[in-house]
């Protein structure tokens, strides 16, 4: 885990309908690594929300869009002092189209650029860089549709070989899409002066249809950014198959709302994977654990990791699987509040998730209540794995 007092502080430039992953993954990953992240939006204050969008390539000529999570800002745009920050992050999505017309935004970006501070921009975020006139003579990539704008702004366009392509030119880091987050975030951490150690680990993710969108992708890409080999499997599916995800959000109702999320691509086959070769297991929440808990092969897999005393990190409804596997007896555990019954009946000692982002470690077991707790969830797993980020 990173130092107790974060040695770096960065700013994230947000707006309504920024891409869901492109905001939350770096926001939570960097916090897990010990970096303070302030998220701001012009015309909005700390505590207010930005709606996000889910962008993904399906069978159409361009990406599809649907509603994402609601992203809570934690700082106020009008109170920003650039001198207090070490770097700037610009998510993509549709927000950059109108943020690029806001002179207060462009002034902010120019201040970061002129001071030589780290700037990381992804996908359509490069529209803002172009409007701020900070890409002239700089190597850049972006989502392909942004190419004409970057060329007109006299940048050196770098064609993305894959959707995961990232380019670094001095203090400027640009990425094509959220598929490249692991390299995008790692390069940003390096530009901030960070050093990652102990990352030669293999991590297995236990996935299923309608697992929670953030609860799979945020830890998956965060651990990838640390240099871990991260594999995702699902019963009865092969590498290259997808699992649809669910967006669970808190919108004033008696329980969480659900919307369709991104499609998550698996990269290993469940039946042929050598589970003994992995150093840790991660179990996302959502609705998948309800039926995965009925699969004996899943139960055997979980028992292997727990019996071997290897780190197991489970969040939200993932603890339904732990309970079904009988591995919670005598263990301290939290979960989404509705899963308390499973934990107690499974013999676990219930730890109240108050506030909801609280996570706990009991020997080799890390448990969290919900996706707002990802920074704690990931950092506690990092401790068990012996991974550090230092500055």
């Amino acid at each position: 885990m990173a130092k107790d007092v974060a040695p770096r502080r960065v700013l994230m430039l947000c707006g309504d309908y920024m891409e869901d992953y492109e905001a939350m993954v770096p926001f939570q990953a960097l916090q897990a690594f010990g970096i303070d992240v302030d998220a701001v939006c012009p015309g909005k204050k700390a505590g207010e929300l930005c709606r996000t969008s889910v962008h993904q390539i399906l069978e159409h000529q361009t990406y599809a869009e649907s509603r994402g999570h609601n992203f809570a800002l934690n700082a106020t745009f009008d109170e920003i002092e650039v001198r207090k920050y070490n770097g700037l992050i610009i998510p993509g999505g549709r927000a950059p189209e109108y943020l690029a017309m806001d002179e207060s935004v462009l002034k902010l970006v120019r201040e970061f650029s002129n001071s030589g501070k780290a700037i990381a921009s992804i996908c359509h975020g490069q529209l803002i860089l172009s409007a701020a006139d900070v890409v002239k003579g700089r190597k850049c990539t972006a989502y392909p549709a942004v190419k004409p704008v970057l060329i007109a702004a006299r940048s050196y366009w770098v064609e993305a070989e894959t959707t995961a392509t990232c380019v670094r030119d001095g203090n400027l880091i640009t990425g094509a899409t959220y598929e490249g987050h692991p390299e995008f975030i790692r390069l940003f951490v390096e530009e901030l002066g960070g050093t990652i150690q102990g990352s030669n680990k293999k991590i297995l993710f236990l996935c299923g249809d309608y697992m929670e969108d953030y609860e799979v992708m945020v830890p998956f890409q965060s651990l990838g950014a640390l240099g871990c080999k991260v594999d995702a499997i699902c019963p009865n599916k092969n590498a290259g198959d997808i699992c649809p995800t669910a967006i669970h959000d808190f919108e004033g109702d008696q329980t969480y709302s659900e919307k369709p999320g991104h499609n998550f691509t698996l990269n290993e086959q469940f039946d042929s994977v050598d589970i003994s070769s992995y150093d840790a297991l991660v179990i996302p929440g959502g609705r998948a654990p309800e039926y995965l808990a009925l699969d004996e092969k899943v139960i055997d897999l979980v028992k292997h990791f727990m019996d071997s005393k290897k780190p197991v990190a489970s969040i939200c409804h993932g603890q339904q699987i732990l309970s079904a596997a009988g591995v919670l007896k005598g263990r301290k555990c939290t979960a989404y509040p509705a899963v308390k019954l499973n934990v107690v009946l499974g013999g676990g000692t219930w730890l109240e998730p108050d506030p909801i982002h609280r996570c706990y470690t009991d020997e080799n077991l890390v448990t969290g209540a919900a996706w707002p707790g990802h920074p704690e969830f990931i950092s506690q797993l990092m401790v068990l794995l012996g991974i550090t980020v230092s500055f």
Side-chain angles (χ1 to χ4, degrees), residues 170-303:
N171 67 314
L172 180 63
I173 298 152
T174 53
T177 74
Y178 57 74
E179 297 291 346
H181 271 151
E183 184 180 6
F184 181 76
I185 295 168
R186 178 183 60 79
L187 290 173
F188 187 59
V189 169
E190 290 178 357
E191 185 60 27
L192 293 171
T195 300
I196 301 167
Q197 294 181 315
S199 59
N200 57 335
K201 304 295 191 300
K202 286 185 67 177
I203 318 295
L204 190 63
F205 274 65
L206 179 56
C207 301
D209 289 346
Y210 299 107
M211 58 190 165
E212 210 288 327
D213 197 29
Y214 281 164
E215 290 173 6
V216 61
M217 187 60 98
V218 173
F220 186 85
Q221 291 193 317
S222 297
L223 292 165
L226 291 169
C228 296
K229 174 73 166 64
V230 191
D231 291 333
I233 58 172
C234 175
N236 305 313
K237 295 197 180 190
N238 300 319
D241 289 347
I242 65 166
C243 285
T245 70
I247 288 173
H248 286 173
D249 214 345
F250 310 98
E251 302 183 282
D253 304 307
Q254 291 179 324
T255 188
Y256 51 84
S257 64
E258 179 170 302
K259 299 183 284 285
H262 298 78
N263 289 329
F264 182 88
T265 303
L266 305 166
N267 59 354
E268 282 291 346
Q269 184 172 339
F270 185 92
D271 289 333
S272 62
V273 73
D274 178 12
I275 61 174
S276 66
S277 69
Y278 289 89
D279 299 292
L281 175 69
V282 177
I283 307 175
R287 284 197 290 109
E290 294 179 350
Y291 65 87
L292 290 177
L294 305 176
D295 189 316
E296 285 302 320
K297 291 182 179 179
V298 167
I299 297 302
D300 289 343
L301 182 149
V302 172
K303 286 180 176 178

Side-chain angles (χ1 to χ4, degrees), residues 275 281 299-312 322 325-329 331 363-365:
I275 61 174
L281 175 69
I299 297 302
D300 289 343
L301 182 149
V302 172
K303 286 180 176 178
H304 165 81
F305 278 91
M306 290 296 288
D307 291 345
S308 302
K309 305 295 184 184
K310 293 181 179 180
V312 173
L322 299 180
V327 298
L328 289 182
K329 294 172 183 173
R331 307 303 293 271
E363 296 180 5
N364 67 312
L365 179 64

Side-chain angles (χ1 to χ4, degrees), residues 23-348:
M24 189 58 86
V25 175
F27 182 75
Q28 292 191 316
L30 293 170
Q31 289 181 78
F33 303 165
I35 299 168
D36 287 336
V37 187
D38 287 347
V40 297
C41 174
K44 297 193 180 189
K45 298 178 181 179
E48 295 183 346
L49 300 175
C50 281
R51 299 180 185 274
T52 71
S53 58
V54 170
H55 285 175
Q56 57 185 342
I57 300 296
L58 300 174
E59 71 276 10
H60 311 296
Q61 291 178 325
T62 187
Y63 51 85
E65 176 175 305
S66 56
R67 280 285 306 279
H69 295 80
N70 294 317
F71 184 95
L73 304 168
N74 63 349
T76 300
F77 185 88
D78 292 339
E79 298 174 357
I80 291 304
E81 297 179 48
V82 171
R83 63 181 179 81
K84 294 183 178 181
Y85 295 93
N86 304 101
L88 175 69
I89 307 166
I90 307 177
R94 282 196 293 109
E97 294 178 350
Y98 64 88
L99 292 177
M101 297 185 289
D102 188 321
E103 187 52 43
S104 65
V105 168
L106 303 185
K107 180 177 180 291
L108 181 83
V109 173
R110 291 187 194 110
E111 285 189 62
F112 274 93
S113 181
N114 292 338
S115 64
K117 294 181 177 182
I119 298 176
S121 181
I122 200 160
C123 199
H124 285 72
Q126 284 76 300
L127 293 172
I128 298 173
L129 300 181
S130 299
D133 194 27
V134 299
V135 294
K136 182 179 179 181
R138 308 294 295 274
K139 295 178 182 177
C140 292
T141 194
Y143 186 72
V146 183
K147 176 180 178 179
V149 174
L150 279 169
I151 291 176
R154 302 176 68 182
S155 77
Y156 291 117
W157 171 256
V158 178
E159 201 71 44
E161 294 183 6
T162 72
T163 53
T165 295
C166 295
V167 172
R168 181 179 182 178
D169 186 341
N171 67 314
L172 180 63
I173 298 152
T174 53
T177 74
Y178 57 74
E179 297 291 346
H181 271 151
E183 184 180 6
F184 181 76
I185 295 168
R186 178 183 60 79
L187 290 173
F188 187 59
V189 169
E190 290 178 357
E191 185 60 27
L192 293 171
T195 300
I196 301 167
Q197 294 181 315
S199 59
N200 57 335
K201 304 295 191 300
K202 286 185 67 177
I203 318 295
L204 190 63
F205 274 65
L206 179 56
C207 301
D209 289 346
Y210 299 107
M211 58 190 165
E212 210 288 327
D213 197 29
Y214 281 164
E215 290 173 6
V216 61
M217 187 60 98
V218 173
F220 186 85
Q221 291 193 317
S222 297
L223 292 165
L226 291 169
C228 296
K229 174 73 166 64
V230 191
D231 291 333
I233 58 172
C234 175
N236 305 313
K237 295 197 180 190
N238 300 319
D241 289 347
I242 65 166
C243 285
T245 70
I247 288 173
H248 286 173
D249 214 345
F250 310 98
E251 302 183 282
D253 304 307
Q254 291 179 324
T255 188
Y256 51 84
S257 64
E258 179 170 302
K259 299 183 284 285
H262 298 78
N263 289 329
F264 182 88
T265 303
L266 305 166
N267 59 354
E268 282 291 346
Q269 184 172 339
F270 185 92
D271 289 333
S272 62
V273 73
D274 178 12
I275 61 174
S276 66
S277 69
Y278 289 89
D279 299 292
L281 175 69
V282 177
I283 307 175
R287 284 197 290 109
E290 294 179 350
Y291 65 87
L292 290 177
L294 305 176
D295 189 316
E296 285 302 320
K297 291 182 179 179
V298 167
I299 297 302
D300 289 343
L301 182 149
V302 172
K303 286 180 176 178
H304 165 81
F305 278 91
M306 290 296 288
D307 291 345
S308 302
K309 305 295 184 184
K310 293 181 179 180
V312 173
S314 182
I315 196 162
C316 198
H317 285 68
Q319 285 77 302
Q320 292 175 318
I321 299 175
L322 299 180
S323 178
V327 298
L328 289 182
K329 294 172 183 173
R331 307 303 293 271
K332 297 176 182 178
C333 178
T334 194
Y336 187 70
V339 184
K340 178 179 180 179
L341 181 63
N342 299 73
V343 172
V344 173
L345 292 179

